Structure formats: structure tokens, C-alpha cells
Amino acid sequence: MKTTNLGYPRIGSKRELKKSLENYWSGKSSLGSLLLTTKNIRQQNWLLQKEKGIDIIPSNDFSLYDQVLDLSFTLGCIPERYFAIKNNPNFAKQDLYFAMARGHQKNTIDVTALEMTKWFDTNYHYLVPEFTKNQTFFVYDSKIVDEYKEALEVGIKTKPVILSPVSFLLSGKEKEDGFHRINLLEKLLPVYETIIQELVNLGVEYIQFDEPFLATNLSKKEQEAIQNTYQRFSNIFPNLKIVIANYFDCYGDNLETALSLPVHTLQIDLVRCPLQLDDILQSGKLQEKTHLSLGVVDGRNIWKNNFDTSLNLIQKAIDAIGKERILISPSCSLLHSPCDLDLETNSKNLSKEVKQWLAFAKQKLEEVTILKQLANQENLEISLVKLHENTKIHEFKKTTSLIHNPNVKERVKALTEKDSQRKNPFSVRQKIQKTALNLPLFPTTTIGSFPQTKEVRSWRAKHKKGSIDAKEYQNLLEKETKETIQFQEEAGLDVLVHGEFERNDMVEYFGEQLNGFAFTQFGWVQSYGSRYVKPPIIYGDVSRENPMTVKWSSYAQSLTKKPLKGMLTGPVTILQWSFVRNDQTRSKTATQIALAIRDEVVDLEKAGLQIIQIDEPAIREGLPLRKEDWKTYLNWAIKAFRISASGVKNETQIHTHMCYSEFNDIIADIADMDADVITIECSRSQMELLDVFAAFKYPNEIGPGVYDIHSPRVPEREEMVSLIKKASKYIPVEQLWINPDCGLKTRHWEETKKALIEMVTAAQECRESISVLA
Ligand code: GLN
Ligand code: ZN
């Protein structure tokens, strides 16, 4: 029995990669120094994995920016717009690479970056490969081989990890019509084969091909493409041990395909799908020599492994196929875990009790090794003590009042259908709200945040450090809020917001005030490039002790006669952007959060707020990888939102907001949220998104964003007017709101003011042209 790993975090436990990259980009340090830092990170990772007892250690899991970009680069898949850089001897190869990652605007060169999108259902973003009809591939970069050699230098024979040819093609996009990218496979395979040959010449024993698309719905043709690929590889390299890595879901419909592959090892994600082991063992189709790599340690979350549960699975596999054909591993690359729990020494953030329940990447390596030792009956003196400790911790978790709050559980149990329904249907509410709010046609509003300037951020930092006291901090924020209200009044906006200056982050702000949440100091996970996130940890039953936002919203409302919109983050988004407990279903945790938000909504109403927005930008990203599982998710997710929104009177208008809203395929579910008003991102696609409203009659009110807040550009009034007109073709004008795409926190005041003034004038122009028509 062996241990293996699928990938290790590349960011460095103290974010060394980020610092080094940003220094290089800003010209503060040389390329040489960047490359030295990254070499150190790789070496440390390899040596650490060896020290922790991993037998088969990955290489090529490092990346300067993104592993899919690395592969595009390696395979010479470089779009033409970068040729001016590629062919210019003044640019280093890395600069071409960074231009593809981030775009390049300097002197006469102005190229955009590759498009970025989410890596399956994670919060990691990759750069999308671009393909043309006559796409060619060739070995442009030697990273895979270089890293293999580099590890040999420190005495480690690694397992290079490479995204498979089919998954590489599927992860990309056709940039012209008239072909499907899967048909490029024939051209692509020889290039992979050249690289594999080079590795084989260097003595490589294992290669891991990541085949994550096996966790999605594949067509017959795509399944065959996978079969052909490994048939070819195994013919050409009969002695190579090929590992197929599938993760984030089970093989599902693709199981037969997977079992038929002529490969050495199949990796299975037993955290997401423990039942899959039975399917495989009982299928009778596991080939006699195929090994199973049992992904029992959760690579996506921060909880300590439950050894008893894992050992049961491992034993089952041993009984069926024998120890020699088994590997123990994390469920996926540890890229999605923070680095090292040992760094968490500040018990103010993370109490001792909660800390003992956690394992980050480094600790997960230890878990993999202990599990092997226990299953293999090795090193028993130590491993049995660890097993005993582990059992005790999990027993304690079942009953401790730190996690379990009977009141919260009762409340969830007592919920009835009525709790997720407003008092009356929208058609009734709409009339009542029109009278209560008395807003003009095309009401204007914003999404919530106003610029988080350097000053605002410095006040928060100083307050945290204690160099300004609570009172002073409060005064500064009040002043900022007041000025923001004044500006909105002057600009003539109809529904105002307080600006969210008191918030660091839309999830953390609420997590910090709710029971059941903990925070880390160094629990960073890569989101993309040099951007990392530090998700809160939901470890226990969630409840709200005190109002969280009422003070700021009422203060802001007291400064104006216009309606002020209270601003909350919704239950699904809080769930989606946190590390979520694994001892109960996600839907149950979402329901608990929903109840806490519901209480806040009711308190805002009591405080006199007539409009309350519950942001849910993350609803879509929670969708399971396979379509057949969507309905179950949408049912509980939409319900959680409705529970949070349904405690108020008909008069109170509930808004929600979503960005990146590619929701053509879930529009009926979005409508089912029954928010009185939804604001969505629309302007980047020139309202293309609205096509969906041509087919689907959206019942409630809607604000398709009329300008892109992701760029400093101030849009012209005419552009906005034409977007509004476009929208009114699909959506009756009585249902239309005018607003930007998203919150304004990343923008500067100057452009924000200009843009919003233009927006208000655009709305006025539309009102006038309507009244002329009437
Ligand atoms: N209310 C939030 C803001 O304006 C919404 C942010 C988001 O959609 N991601 O900042
Ligand atoms: Zn948004």
C-alpha cells in the first residue's frame, strides 16, 4: 500500500508567491528573484511531503499564475494577439506568460488577458484556453520536464501532474465558428506524447492525468476521446504507470468508461461520494491490475479526517482487491486547502477547541500517512494513539454545546411552508409597494457599496490595531456615510444606500457577528493569480445574538427623506464563500443562516426601513457539476433565500442582487426566489443576457445593470439610454429599475460620481420619452 498526493498549495505558507509576484510586476524586484522564490517554494513542498511520509509526490503542480495557462503555454496554444510580445526579443518568456494572464498595456502594446472562469465548483479561477479552427500545437515550454528534473536534484522522483488532453480541450473555448474543440485531439496527442517520451527518458515511473471532466455529463464522443487517448498512451508507453485523477464528484455515467481504461490507477473522490467505492467494487468491471487511489482525506475543506470512517472504506477496498493495489490520498489537489494549521497561534480568532477539529494541507499529509499505517498495521505504537485521539475528538464533536445549540435546531425543525412564503403574491405586493414608496418610473438605485477609499481602509486597519478608538472610528465612518447620502440626494437617485463603509467583506462582516463562525490568520487559499481568499469557518449551529446592520442603516435613513435600502448578504452566499461544517448537510446549515438573516430583515423593517436588499451573488456557483443534481440544490438554496426574505409585511420591498449572472438555464428558479426586485449584471454582455427574458416572462421587477463597474471608464448617457431601451423591449417598463452592474467599492469617487449622475440623467431621459409617447 502506498500514499500519494495530487497537488500541494503553491502560494507558500506565508503568501511568499503573492509578494514575490507583485514585487516583480511593479518593477520592485527582478525576474531572477521571482524565480528563486518559486524554486524555494517547490523544493520546500517536495521535501515536506517526503518528510510527512508521502510515497508518490506530485510535480508540475506549481504554477506562477495558473496550471491551465501553464499548459496552454507548454503546448504552444498562444493566441495571435500576443505575437507582438512573443516575437519581441525585449520581452522575457515570463512576460508573455503574464500578458496572457493579466493583459498588457504599455507603450504601443495593448492586449487583453485570456478569459478567466471558475474551476468546476471551486472558488479557484483558471485562464480559459483559446482555440481556432486551424489551431496547431507544439512544445513551446519545458516546464513539466524542468520541474521533474528540479525534483530529481533534491533526490525525489516525482509524479508529474498534467491536465489530460481531453480535459484541456474541454476546458477551453472555440474562438471561431465551424469546428468543435474536441476534434483537435488528433493534433494535440503527438505533442503530449513528445513530452511524455522526454519524461520516460528521464526515468519517470508515474504520471497523473487530471481528468476532472469525468465528474460532469459527457457525450458519447467525449467518452470515446478519453478512451482513445489512453489506448494510445498505453500502446506507446507500456511501462508507464498512468494515474487518472477524477475529483469533485463521482464518475457517475462515466464509470464504465473509466473502468475500461488501460491505466495503472484510478483516483476516486471518496469524500464527495463514499458510495462510489461499492459501485466500483461491485461492478465486476474493475480490471485485474488496476489500482485504486482512495481519496479519503478532504482536499476541499479544513476538517480533521474521521479516521474510523476512512478506515472502514479502506478496509472494504482491501478485502475486495488486496493491499497491493491500494493507494491512500487526499480527495483532490490540496491547492484548495490553506497551508498550515500550525501557524494559527492567535486564539482570539481561532479558539483551541475549534482548532483541534481542523487540518490544513500540511496536516492532511500526516493524515494520509497515518491512515496508511493503520490500514497496513505499521508503526502501530504511534498510529494507534493517533487513532484513539481522533476517535475521541469526533465523539466530542457530536455533543459539545460549542457546536450544538438546541434552540437553533428546534427552530429549523419547526419551519413550515408558510415561513418561506411572503404574505401575498407579488401582484398584490407590487400595488401596495407602489403606493407606499411612490417611486417614479425607471427608479434609480445602486447595488450597495460606495468607494472603499485608501482612507476608509486605513481607518479600519488603525481601529483593528487599536491606534484609533471605537468612537473615533465611528465618527469617521459616520462622516463618510453622511457625505455619501448627500451625494446621492444631489445626484437625484431614488433609492439610497448607506455605502457599506463599515464592512471589510460582505461575508466576513456577518460571520464576525454570528455564532458558529471562526476565522483564521493565515488560512489563505488561491482564488486566481496573486489573489487569495481567507474564507470564514462555519463550525457550529448559526445564530444571531444582536442586530448586525440596523444601526448603520437607521443612521443613514435618518439623514434622508428618500427611502434607504438596508443591505444584507444572503444565506447561500454566506455558505458558498465559507468553509462549511461537514457533520450535517449544507442545506441544513443554509437554513440556519437563513433564519439569522430573517431576524435581521425583520429588525430592519421594525427600524423603519421600507426596502431591504439580500445579496445572493453566489447562487449560481453552488450548482452541482451534474445537471441531474441541480434540482435538489436549487430547491434548498432558493428556499433558504425565501426563508430569509419572508418575515416582512407586503409593504416592505425585498431586493436581491446577483453578478456574473449567466442564468439562462435557471431563470425559472431565480424567479422562484420571489424577490420584489432583482438587480443583475448585464452591461458587459450588452444586455445579451436579456435574450432569456424574451422567452421567459419574468414576473417581478428587475434592474439589468446599465454600466460596467469593473472598469474605471465613465459611460455616456446615450449608451445607457440605449441599453435601457433595449431592456424595455423584453421587460415591461413598469418592471424596470436603473442601476449599475454591481457594488462600487473598487471604484474611485471621481468616476463614480460622474457615472451615477449620467445614469440618473439617462433615467430621466427615458421617463420623458415615455411620457411623450403616452
Ligand atoms: N452589496 C454588495 C456591494 O455592493 C454586493 C457585492 C456583490 O455583488 N458581490 O458591494
Ligand atoms: Zn454584484
Side-chain angles (χ1 to χ4, degrees):
M1 203 185 311
K2 288 197 163 79
T3 53
T4 186
N5 184 23
L6 282 74
Y8 199 77
R10 55 182 73 131
I11 61 180
S13 55
K14 291 263 171 78
R15 292 187 289 163
E16 290 86 344
L17 179 58
K18 177 189 181 70
K19 289 168 202 159
S20 191
L21 276 173
E22 289 175 356
N23 281 339
Y24 175 63
W25 291 336
S26 68
K28 280 193 208 126
S29 72
S30 67
L31 181 59
S33 121
L34 171 65
L35 297 182
L36 190 65
T37 308
T38 57
K39 186 173 177 167
N40 284 336
I41 294 176
R42 287 190 294 271
Q43 274 201 8
Q44 279 168 17
N45 286 353
W46 286 322
L47 294 173
L48 178 77
Q49 291 174 82
K50 188 172 166 189
E51 180 201 317
K52 297 290 173 199
I54 302 299
D55 300 317
I56 307 170
I57 296 171
S59 62
N60 195 44
D61 53 341
F62 179 82
S63 178
L64 278 173
Y65 203 94
D66 162 46
Q67 73 271 8
V68 183
L69 172 62
D70 292 351
L71 194 53
S72 294
F73 206 64
T74 297
L75 301 170
C77 187
I78 296 163
E80 228 172 82
R81 64 180 180 281
Y82 303 105
F83 283 13
I85 296 177
K86 184 167 170 256
N87 300 331
N88 185 334
N90 294 328
F91 286 96
K93 216 169 176 179
Q94 285 81 0
D95 295 322
L96 168 62
Y97 174 91
F98 288 133
M100 290 168 73
R102 320 166 62 222
H104 184 104
Q105 280 88 29
K106 224 186 212 164
N107 304 330
T108 56
I109 301 177
D110 183 357
V111 283
T112 55
L114 292 175
E115 192 185 314
M116 194 161 64
T117 195
K118 272 181 187 282
W119 181 242
F120 297 87
D121 59 354
T122 71
N123 223 332
Y124 178 82
H125 301 71
Y126 74 95
L127 290 154
V128 180
E130 293 182 6
F131 303 120
T132 55
K133 210 163 161 179
N134 297 317
Q135 185 68 49
T136 54
F137 302 101
F138 61 101
V139 181
Y140 180 68
D141 189 68
S142 54
K143 172 177 186 284
I144 300 173
V145 173
D146 293 346
E147 285 187 18
Y148 183 75
K149 287 192 202 156
E150 199 181 80
L152 282 181
E153 281 169 30
V154 291
I156 297 179
K157 238 175 111 171
T158 55
K159 165 188 71 171
V161 173
I162 311 173
L163 186 61
S164 86
V166 170
S167 284
F168 173 66
L169 290 174
L170 292 180
S171 70
K173 237 185 180 172
E174 294 89 356
K175 285 314 236 189
E176 49 192 12
D177 289 337
F179 76 109
H180 190 282
R181 57 197 186 284
I182 199 73
N183 295 330
L184 300 173
L185 186 65
E186 283 301 308
K187 286 202 219 165
L188 183 57
L189 287 176
V191 187
Y192 269 76
E193 285 154 8
T194 307
I195 296 168
I196 301 171
Q197 186 63 60
E198 238 185 294
L199 291 166
V200 167
N201 295 346
L202 289 166
V204 83
E205 188 180 351
Y206 291 92
I207 295 185
Q208 171 184 320
F209 287 105
D210 280 10
E211 204 66 271
F213 279 89
L214 283 172
T216 66
N217 300 108
L218 290 181
S219 66
K220 193 100 219 107
K221 186 168 173 178
E222 289 158 344
Q223 290 177 340
E224 277 164 17
I226 291 177
Q227 254 151 352
N228 294 341
T229 299
Y230 296 104
Q231 201 56 60
R232 257 179 81 151
F233 287 176
S234 79
N235 289 344
I236 307 177
F237 309 104
N239 299 321
L240 180 66
K241 295 177 178 161
I242 294 178
V243 182
I244 303 291
N246 171 55
Y247 36 77
F248 305 153
D249 210 331
C250 56
Y251 286 97
D253 288 351
N254 304 314
L255 183 59
E256 280 212 16
T257 305
L259 289 171
S260 75
L261 299 176
V263 296
H264 182 270
T265 301
L266 290 179
Q267 156 82 25
I268 41 184
D269 183 339
L270 291 178
V271 173
R272 281 286 172 94
C273 332
L275 297 179
Q276 194 180 193
L277 184 60
D278 287 331
D279 294 345
I280 292 176
L281 296 177
Q282 287 160 19
S283 68
K285 292 196 173 141
L286 182 66
Q287 296 175 55
E288 223 167 277
K289 285 196 188 130
T290 310
H291 291 54
L292 288 180
S293 172
L294 308 178
V296 285
V297 170
D298 195 347
R300 287 280 297 271
N301 214 331
I302 39 73
W303 306 108
K304 201 167 253 180
N305 189 261
N306 186 324
F307 286 170
D308 290 306
T309 312
S310 299
L311 286 169
N312 276 337
L313 289 166
I314 297 170
Q315 193 56 48
K316 202 186 273 178
I318 294 178
D319 293 344
I321 63 171
K323 281 182 189 172
E324 292 68 33
R325 282 164 67 195
I326 289 173
L327 295 99
I328 312 291
S329 67
S331 61
C332 62
S333 168
L334 297 175
L335 172 67
H336 311 288
S337 306
C339 291
D340 186 3
L341 186 65
D342 292 343
L343 297 177
E344 302 296 328
T345 49
N346 183 346
S347 56
K348 256 202 254 142
N349 289 320
L350 193 63
S351 67
K352 258 199 350 261
E353 287 79 11
V354 176
K355 190 179 163 186
Q356 65 169 339
W357 299 329
L358 308 182
F360 292 178
K362 188 174 110 186
Q363 288 70 31
K364 287 173 192 290
L365 298 174
E366 290 165 9
E367 295 185 334
V368 167
T369 299
I370 295 167
L371 285 169
K372 177 187 92 168
Q373 292 174 346
L374 287 166
N376 226 1
Q377 315 255 319
E378 294 167 30
N379 197 16
L380 283 181
E381 225 164 282
I382 296 175
S383 55
L384 280 176
V385 174
K386 302 255 178 190
L387 173 63
H388 184 66
E389 267 173 29
N390 187 277
T391 310
K392 248 179 42 195
I393 285 173
H394 284 95
E395 282 303 314
F396 177 62
K397 275 186 89 174
K398 281 190 197 146
T399 51
T400 172
S401 61
L402 290 168
I403 295 183
H404 304 280
N405 177 338
N407 296 337
V408 175
K409 292 194 206 296
E410 288 291 303
R411 236 186 126 188
V412 169
K413 240 201 219 137
L415 281 169
T416 64
E417 275 308 304
K418 258 179 74 190
D419 295 309
S420 51
Q421 280 159 9
R422 297 286 298 269
K423 308 246 159 4
N424 284 102
F426 176 70
S427 53
V428 176
R429 302 194 309 263
Q430 190 182 30
K431 286 195 198 95
I432 298 175
Q433 289 167 17
K434 289 240 180 264
T435 318
L437 292 165
N438 195 22
L439 295 169
L441 206 55
F442 300 115
T444 52
T445 190
T446 61
I447 307 303
S449 59
F450 268 78
Q452 285 260 338
T453 56
K454 257 205 213 108
E455 291 75 49
V456 173
R457 279 178 285 139
S458 80
W459 302 334
R460 185 157 47 243
K462 283 186 195 153
H463 175 51
K464 220 172 169 177
K465 265 197 267 156
S467 63
I468 60 176
D469 64 16
K471 185 82 207 114
E472 190 177 352
Y473 180 55
Q474 165 107 357
N475 288 342
L476 289 164
L477 292 181
E478 279 182 4
K479 198 171 139 264
E480 195 77 7
T481 308
K482 201 170 188 170
E483 282 168 17
T484 303
I485 296 286
Q486 257 159 20
F487 161 71
Q488 294 173 84
E489 290 207 322
E490 280 158 26
L493 282 146
D494 301 304
V495 172
L496 313 196
V497 296
H498 76 285
E500 300 181 25
F501 302 109
E502 76 287 8
R503 301 186 190 176
N504 33 1
D505 170 276
M506 64 186 287
V507 171
E508 196 172 85
Y509 182 77
F510 291 91
E512 278 174 346
Q513 301 184 69
L514 289 167
N515 293 321
F517 280 76
F519 297 86
T520 64
Q521 243 180 315
F522 299 103
W524 299 100
V525 179
Q526 189 172 25
S527 170
Y528 66 89
S530 67
R531 286 288 281 270
Y532 312 154
V533 293
K534 195 151 64 71
I537 296 171
I538 308 178
Y539 65 87
D541 288 338
V542 176
S543 61
R544 188 197 71 142
E545 215 133 281
N546 296 303
M548 305 182 281
T549 64
V550 173
K551 224 184 62 206
W552 282 111
S553 291
S554 334
Y555 170 69
Q557 181 67 84
S558 76
L559 303 171
T560 176
K561 293 220 160 53
K562 295 215 169 160
L564 185 114
K565 184 158 68 160
M567 202 52 64
L568 304 173
T569 303
V572 183
T573 299
I574 293 182
L575 184 86
Q576 211 46 45
W577 292 350
S578 302
F579 283 121
V580 182
R581 59 193 281 196
N582 62 356
D583 60 339
Q584 65 180 22
T585 58
R586 287 172 78 80
S587 68
K588 203 171 254 175
T589 306
T591 309
Q592 293 182 352
I593 306 171
L595 284 169
I597 300 296
R598 178 186 177 100
D599 294 345
E600 187 71 15
V601 172
V602 169
D603 278 348
L604 283 169
E605 180 185 66
K606 272 193 210 140
L609 279 289
Q610 289 176 285
I611 305 183
I612 299 157
Q613 177 169 311
I614 309 170
D615 288 322
E616 282 290 23
I619 283 230
R620 193 188 156 94
E621 65 184 63
L623 280 176
L625 295 178
R626 285 200 167 85
K627 272 222 156 132
E628 58 267 30
D629 302 325
W630 282 19
K631 215 54 259 160
T632 312
Y633 162 75
L634 286 166
N635 279 347
W636 63 254
I638 303 299
K639 189 159 201 176
F641 175 84
R642 292 179 61 132
I643 290 171
S644 72
S646 297
V648 288
K649 299 182 288 198
N650 285 331
E651 285 79 351
T652 301
Q653 188 171 64
I654 299 288
H655 289 215
T656 189
H657 164 72
M658 289 184 187
C659 11
Y660 327 108
S661 4
E662 240 182 74
F663 46 47
N664 299 22
D665 40 8
I666 56 167
I667 184 68
D669 302 276
I670 303 296
D672 199 32
M673 290 168 75
D674 198 28
D676 298 304
V677 181
I678 183 172
T679 55
I680 58 177
E681 178 187 316
C682 243
S683 73
R684 268 190 292 187
S685 59
Q686 287 294 305
M687 303 258 161
E688 243 171 58
L689 216 132
L690 291 175
D691 289 349
V692 58
F693 295 101
F696 181 88
K697 211 170 153 296
Y698 190 79
N700 301 9
E701 296 180 18
I702 182 162
V706 294
Y707 85 84
D708 178 10
I709 62 91
H710 300 87
S711 125
R713 189 175 161 271
V714 175
E716 313 241 319
R717 187 176 69 232
E718 280 319 309
E719 289 169 41
M720 292 190 271
V721 169
S722 95
L723 287 177
I724 299 167
K725 289 202 168 139
K726 210 164 166 182
S728 66
K729 280 201 200 110
Y730 300 98
I731 300 162
V733 291
E734 301 74 36
Q735 277 168 256
L736 270 180
W737 284 66
I738 312 294
N739 46 265
D741 259 353
C742 194
L744 299 160
K745 64 170 165 247
T746 57
R747 300 269 58 95
H748 294 292
W749 266 109
E750 202 191 280
E751 73 226 25
T752 298
K753 286 189 171 173
K754 281 190 192 146
L756 288 177
I757 290 168
E758 286 297 301
M759 188 186 87
V760 170
T761 338
Q764 269 154 7
E765 199 175 309
C766 290
R767 283 171 204 148
E768 277 153 28
S769 70
I770 291 272
S771 61
V772 169
L773 287 178

